[in-house]
Amino acid sequence: MNDTSATYPFKLWFAATCAWLGSLQFGFHLGVLNTCLNYTSIDLGITEAKGGAVVTSVLLVSAAIGGFFAGQVADAIGPRRALLWNNVPLFAGSFLSAIAPDGSTGFWAMLLGRFLAGLGVGTASLVVPRYLVEIAPTPIRGALGTVSQLFVCVGILIAFAIGLPYDGKEAFLNLGQHQIAWWRVMFAIGLVPATLQAIGMSTCPESPVWLEWKGHTEAAWRAKGQLQGQNPSALPQVTNLGATHFGDVEKQETTTFVEEGDGASVPLRAAGEEVFSSSEAGSSHLDDEELSGEGQWSDLVQRRFRRMMVLAVSLPLLQQASGINSITFYSSSVFTRAGLSSPIIGSIIVGCVNVAGTGVAAYLMDKTGRRPLLIASHAGMAISLISISLAKFLPLSKTLEGYISLVAILGSVMLFSLGVGPIPWLYLSEILPERIKGRAAALCTCLNWLASLVIGLIFPVMLELLDINGSYLVFAALNAAAVVFAYTFMVETKGRSLQRIMHLLLDSHTD
């Protein structure tokens, strides 16, 4: 991840790993029904296709609900406690789905289980990146946040892989004289990460940023010492120029000043951070005082937060508009033309590419930066989608068309995982100040999940009106628009303290 990683305490890596288990569950619950929906529907008496669609889509609806309230919960009790208690709906969702009785009663139990799991998924999608950004030292903040998306991909891959027994046949687990449907075992596996995360998060430090924001300065320093290896008692005497309340783990290196012998103040700075001028520091201090209180929903429309909110709302929506779900939808037919008849194996291949690409992104995030990676990711996806459309328009042999489409599909997945997948959630947690972070992130997360649901509903209509070629050209155009947007509005956050990012984005004119 970073060549300085060995200098950080075990507690940091332990806390990050516990948080990543939330992302693992996020991915697992998204993918677990993909391979077993038909067999689950038979056992639960779901005879109509719309019943299966309801079971699938209820998770997206409840994820939007969970995401909407998660920000305020994290604001109230802290990101660590929010992640700890989030395992209650995740555990209950897995449990209810696994024990749902056969017949129509089981349908309602499954529906409730998926609804509860969705609440946990929506909460995890917001709170995991927030906790990681707030505990991470600046030089590895991007890597820790990107590994969160890597664990989402790993969770999806695990869900696909444990569905392999259903490859072309019904499957059971034999316990003595009892046969247990394999889909029940699949859902029961979800109990394991929920239990592990609940135990692990109970021993992790709270976010130093949240503690500082709530006025618990000494507790914030203790937590930061545990996570970043600094001993608060050994710190020099400092002259505090005002609490930042910016959600910045590195705030003390950039806003507290050591008194020199001649009375000059020298700013403390962490390795890998940019230096900014004293005039900028003074301007930030004035902004800090304005941001020190509890936020309200009305704050989201204030002029000073305008650029932050435009970025925070747009990037997750552009992620959904990239067409990644339509690419996954089309991949099965592409794999079939390439000679691979098993849709489960095809899904596993796509999952492996996604994991590999996200792993590369974690390595590059703090080297290349968020902005160039996201621009390249959207641009590459646009080119890949255009390639698939051209392969079908041009007079090519079916074999050649199939190979071009296969390469383009896998390339699109790889390119998505390099930027469009991980960056919106990481960036969201980096650019929002604590005053509005809970409410703003909640709104953006809710909109993202609703956009996923809406695109899933309108994609079949697009296929009917435009065919796959025209549909992919629409998504290619949306990716091109995303390139223009990112180039125009994004600021780079790599190597910058959270306070410095706020200073760059905060509009100096207030309402």
Side-chain angles (χ1 to χ4, degrees):
M1 260 188 262
N2 190 292
D3 56 5
T4 63
S5 61
T7 64
Y8 299 113
F10 169 78
K11 198 71 172 181
L12 173 66
W13 304 112
F14 180 78
T17 301
C18 291
W20 289 331
L21 287 174
S23 298
L24 183 86
Q25 295 181 79
F26 171 179
F28 178 83
H29 286 288
L30 278 183
V32 70
L33 262 181
N34 283 26
T35 56
C36 66
L37 179 59
N38 290 339
Y39 300 100
T40 304
S41 298
I42 293 171
D43 289 345
L44 299 183
I46 305 173
T47 56
E48 299 181 12
K50 63 181 181 182
V54 169
V55 171
T56 303
S57 60
V58 70
L59 183 127
L60 300 179
V61 174
S62 61
I65 297 171
F68 185 77
F69 289 104
Q72 295 172 79
V73 171
D75 278 354
I77 67 174
R80 182 193 71 86
R81 290 189 185 90
L83 285 177
L84 172 63
W85 288 104
N86 189 45
N87 289 287
V88 173
L90 288 168
F91 187 97
S94 293
F95 183 75
L96 282 173
S97 299
I99 66 167
D102 292 344
S104 59
T105 303
F107 168 74
W108 294 106
M110 175 64 73
L111 205 62
L112 177 58
R114 296 296 285 168
F115 181 85
L116 290 173
L119 293 177
V121 165
T123 300
S125 68
L126 185 152
V127 183
V128 171
R130 173 175 175 174
Y131 181 71
L132 290 169
V133 163
E134 293 184 1
I135 69 171
T138 299
I140 60 170
R141 190 177 64 226
L144 290 189
T146 306
V147 173
S148 172
Q149 180 67 21
L150 176 64
F151 269 73
V152 174
C153 300
V154 170
I156 294 172
L157 183 58
I158 289 172
F160 289 163
I162 63 176
L164 270 175
Y166 279 124
D167 191 17
K169 63 183 184 300
E170 194 169 3
F172 298 93
L173 174 66
N174 293 310
L175 291 177
Q177 298 181 343
H178 299 282
Q179 274 192 335
I180 300 175
W182 184 250
W183 62 263
R184 298 184 184 278
V185 178
M186 293 171 65
F187 279 107
I189 289 173
L191 300 173
V192 177
T195 303
L196 291 176
Q197 190 186 37
I199 294 171
M201 290 305 301
S202 66
T203 66
C204 293
E206 185 53 86
S207 157
V209 172
W210 181 83
L211 290 169
E212 173 74 14
W213 179 50
K214 290 294 185 179
H216 308 304
T217 306
E218 291 186 9
W221 273 108
R222 285 196 298 270
K224 186 175 181 180
Q226 288 181 284
L227 292 163
Q228 299 184 24
Q230 298 177 10
N231 181 0
S233 63
L235 292 173
Q237 292 298 113
V238 297
T239 302
N240 196 345
L241 298 186
T244 63
H245 300 287
F246 269 124
D248 185 8
V249 177
E250 303 296 336
K251 57 169 65 65
Q252 295 292 346
E253 284 83 339
T254 55
T255 62
T256 57
F257 291 70
V258 179
E259 291 292 330
E260 298 259 296
D262 59 0
S265 296
V266 180
L268 299 173
R269 182 172 61 91
E273 289 186 7
E274 288 189 349
V275 182
F276 57 100
S277 68
S278 58
S279 62
E280 290 175 329
S283 173
S284 292
H285 169 53
L286 293 176
D287 291 334
D288 294 344
E289 293 176 346
E290 297 172 351
L291 297 174
S292 60
E294 297 280 347
Q296 303 295 328
W297 283 105
S298 58
D299 290 338
L300 304 189
V301 296
Q302 289 185 10
R303 183 177 178 182
R304 56 181 167 168
F305 298 129
R306 179 169 52 194
R307 190 177 181 187
M308 296 175 184
M309 288 305 303
V310 168
L311 286 165
V313 170
S314 300
L315 292 184
L317 292 180
L318 289 171
Q319 179 192 70
Q320 293 300 326
S322 69
I324 186 61
N325 293 331
S326 66
I327 292 169
T328 305
F329 170 84
Y330 185 55
S331 63
S332 296
S333 61
V334 171
F335 281 122
T336 300
R337 288 206 304 275
L340 184 65
S341 59
S342 170
I344 296 179
I345 296 295
S347 296
I348 291 174
I349 292 173
V350 170
C352 288
V353 172
N354 206 359
V355 168
T358 310
V360 174
Y363 175 77
L364 293 176
M365 198 62 64
D366 289 309
K367 297 179 181 296
T368 305
R370 287 59 148 163
R371 185 170 176 266
L373 272 181
L374 187 63
I375 290 172
S377 180
H378 273 298
M381 289 190 71
I383 293 170
S384 296
L385 290 166
I386 291 172
S387 299
I388 297 171
S389 296
L390 287 178
K392 292 186 72 66
F393 278 125
L394 296 175
L396 304 175
S397 66
K398 289 294 182 183
T399 302
L400 182 58
E401 177 197 330
Y403 283 124
I404 292 175
S405 298
L406 180 62
V407 171
I409 286 286
L410 295 180
S412 295
V413 173
M414 174 67 77
L415 288 160
F416 175 85
S417 64
L418 284 174
V420 182
I423 289 176
W425 301 114
L426 168 65
Y427 200 75
L428 194 86
S429 295
E430 290 182 309
I431 67 172
L432 295 173
E434 289 298 305
R435 181 182 180 93
I436 64 168
K437 182 178 285 186
R439 289 173 172 82
L443 174 64
C444 298
T445 303
C446 180
L447 290 175
N448 179 269
W449 284 107
L450 290 177
S452 177
L453 179 63
V454 169
I455 290 175
L457 292 174
I458 67 173
F459 184 59
V461 179
M462 291 176 64
L463 283 178
E464 186 175 340
L465 295 176
L466 304 174
D467 194 30
I468 194 69
N469 304 327
S471 299
Y472 276 10
L473 288 177
V474 170
F475 286 122
L478 291 171
N479 276 288
V483 170
V484 175
F485 177 85
Y487 181 82
T488 304
F489 291 102
M490 282 185 73
V491 299
E492 183 53 63
T493 59
K494 180 197 74 169
R496 286 172 169 158
S497 71
L498 298 183
Q499 184 197 8
R500 174 60 171 146
I501 296 167
M502 300 304 153
H503 176 78
L504 291 171
L505 288 172
L506 193 65
D507 193 324
S508 59
H509 300 286
T510 57
D511 291 332

